[in-house]
């Protein structure tokens, strides 16, 4: 695979044989962020679990202390008093049957998070084929199916992220932008890893955090020391 000159130059800064401490890894990661835009800083954590087993799933959500640096478009599907609560909380789109129809008939997905109330899941459940592959289907574990819709919308706007295992037992999450600086990124990183560690399944055996890599959108990965990360 061929890389551009900026990537190649950035990669020279990273010692591939070294496992960096968190602050050092984040600082190095920022040095490699050479794109002309404010790159996203991503964390990739490989866990010592098997996602094929229901009792070894790792999934949850957390509000990052410093947000993600991204403007989040929220769709709220609700009725009654919840409509006013959703609008007051800052939802970008609010509706019920008409929104479901728009998604079904037009394939409309111009939003980042869908939040709904439990009584609407019979309606929203019809959207699984459209929303599921895009990771937009609401879920109680992620806090996107809740009777407290106003609170959920505020949290989503404030920088709430969902973490979940993929098929290769890796969690991929954005923890901010390069403009945040090391201190804010570390606060977000510590919050995320702390949540992942607390979510360790009882059925998980052996080393829980196998590896941890941080990278900017266009930059090379920087490997962190998994033993120190696990102590968060």
């Amino acid at each position: 695979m061929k890389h551009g000159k900026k990537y190649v130059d950035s990669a020279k800064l990273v010692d591939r044989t070294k496992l960096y401490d968190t602050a050092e890894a984040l600082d190095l990661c920022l040095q490699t962020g050479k794109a002309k835009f404010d790159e996203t800083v991503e964390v990739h954590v490989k866990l010592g679990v098997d996602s094929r087993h229901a009792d070894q799933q790792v999934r949850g959500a957390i509000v990052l202390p410093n947000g993600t640096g991204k403007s989040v478009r929220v769709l709220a599907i609700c009725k009654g008093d919840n409509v006013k609560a959703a609008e007051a909380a800052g939802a970008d789109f609010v509706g019920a049957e008409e929104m479901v129809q728009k998604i079904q008939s037009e394939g409309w997905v111009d939003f980042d998070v869908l939040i709904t109330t439990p009584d609407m899941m019979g309606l929203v459940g019809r959207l699984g084929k459209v929303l599921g592959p895009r990771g937009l289907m609401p879920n109680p574990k992620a806090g996107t199916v809740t009777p407290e819709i106003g609170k959920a919308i505020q949290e989503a706007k404030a920088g709430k992220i969902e973490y979940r295992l993929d098929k290769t037992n890796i969690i991929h999450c954005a923890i901010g932008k390069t403009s945040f600086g090391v201190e804010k990124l570390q606060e977000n990183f510590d919050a995320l890893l702390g949540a992942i560690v607390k979510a360790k399944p009882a059925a998980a055996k052996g080393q829980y955090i196998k590896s941890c890599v941080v990278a900017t959108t266009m930059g090379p990965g920087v490997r962190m020391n998994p033993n120190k990360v696990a102590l968060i």
Side-chain angles (χ1 to χ4, degrees), residues 4 35 54 68 94 96 106 108 122 126 128 139 146-147 151 162 191 209:
T68 62
V94 183
E106 301 175 21
W108 178 74
R126 303 172 192 171
N139 185 288
T146 172
K151 179 183 177 182
E162 181 182 2
I209 296 183

Side-chain angles (χ1 to χ4, degrees), residues 104-155:
Q104 281 184 316
S105 62
E106 301 175 21
W108 178 74
V109 288
D110 291 338
F111 52 90
D112 303 299
V113 181
L114 192 165
I115 298 174
T116 189
T117 50
D119 61 301
M120 298 299 290
M121 276 307 292
L123 190 66
V124 176
R126 303 172 192 171
L127 304 174
K129 289 184 179 180
V130 179
L131 302 181
R134 294 175 172 83
L136 294 171
M137 194 67 184
N139 185 288
K141 290 184 178 179
T144 46
V145 179
T146 172
E148 298 183 79
I149 196 163
K151 179 183 177 182
I153 292 167
Q154 289 175 341
E155 289 180 341

Side-chain angles (χ1 to χ4, degrees), residues 7-218:
Y7 182 96
V8 173
D9 289 343
S10 294
K12 292 177 181 177
L13 300 173
V14 182
D15 183 347
R16 296 283 185 178
T17 65
K18 183 176 178 179
L19 296 176
Y20 294 89
D21 289 343
T22 305
E24 188 179 9
L26 290 171
D27 182 55
L28 184 54
C29 182
L30 295 185
Q31 291 180 48
T32 67
K34 297 182 178 180
K36 293 181 179 179
F37 61 93
D38 193 7
E39 295 182 64
T40 297
V41 178
E42 304 164 352
V43 172
H44 309 276
V45 186
K46 185 172 181 63
L47 300 181
V49 296
D50 190 339
S51 61
R52 294 174 297 178
H53 299 290
D55 62 350
Q56 294 188 46
Q57 289 295 322
V58 179
R59 181 176 187 175
I62 183 172
V63 178
L64 296 178
N66 301 297
T68 62
K70 178 183 177 182
S71 178
V72 179
R73 299 166 298 171
V74 177
L75 164 62
I77 293 183
C78 54
K79 285 184 175 181
D81 293 340
N82 286 318
V83 171
K84 289 184 178 180
E87 291 174 341
D92 299 272
F93 313 99
V94 183
E97 286 87 353
E98 71 278 14
M99 286 296 182
V100 172
Q101 180 62 28
K102 185 177 178 69
I103 294 170
Q104 281 184 316
S105 62
E106 301 175 21
W108 178 74
V109 288
D110 291 338
F111 52 90
D112 303 299
V113 181
L114 192 165
I115 298 174
T116 189
T117 50
D119 61 301
M120 298 299 290
M121 276 307 292
L123 190 66
V124 176
R126 303 172 192 171
L127 304 174
K129 289 184 179 180
V130 179
L131 302 181
R134 294 175 172 83
L136 294 171
M137 194 67 184
N139 185 288
K141 290 184 178 179
T144 46
V145 179
T146 172
E148 298 183 79
I149 196 163
K151 179 183 177 182
I153 292 167
Q154 289 175 341
E155 289 180 341
K157 289 284 187 179
K160 186 174 187 176
I161 61 168
E162 181 182 2
Y163 57 88
R164 61 184 300 183
L165 284 176
D166 66 8
K167 292 181 180 179
T168 60
N169 304 316
I170 299 175
I171 290 175
H172 310 271
C173 283
I175 59 167
K177 299 286 188 177
T178 52
S179 59
F180 280 24
V182 173
E183 187 175 340
K184 287 185 177 180
L185 286 172
Q186 177 147 10
E187 288 175 357
N188 282 356
F189 176 85
D190 289 349
L192 172 63
L193 267 292
I196 292 173
V197 169
K198 287 181 181 177
K200 179 180 179 179
K205 306 297 181 185
Q207 186 175 357
Y208 181 50
I209 296 183
K210 292 284 190 178
S211 67
C212 185
V213 175
V214 63
T216 58
T217 306
M218 306 293 288

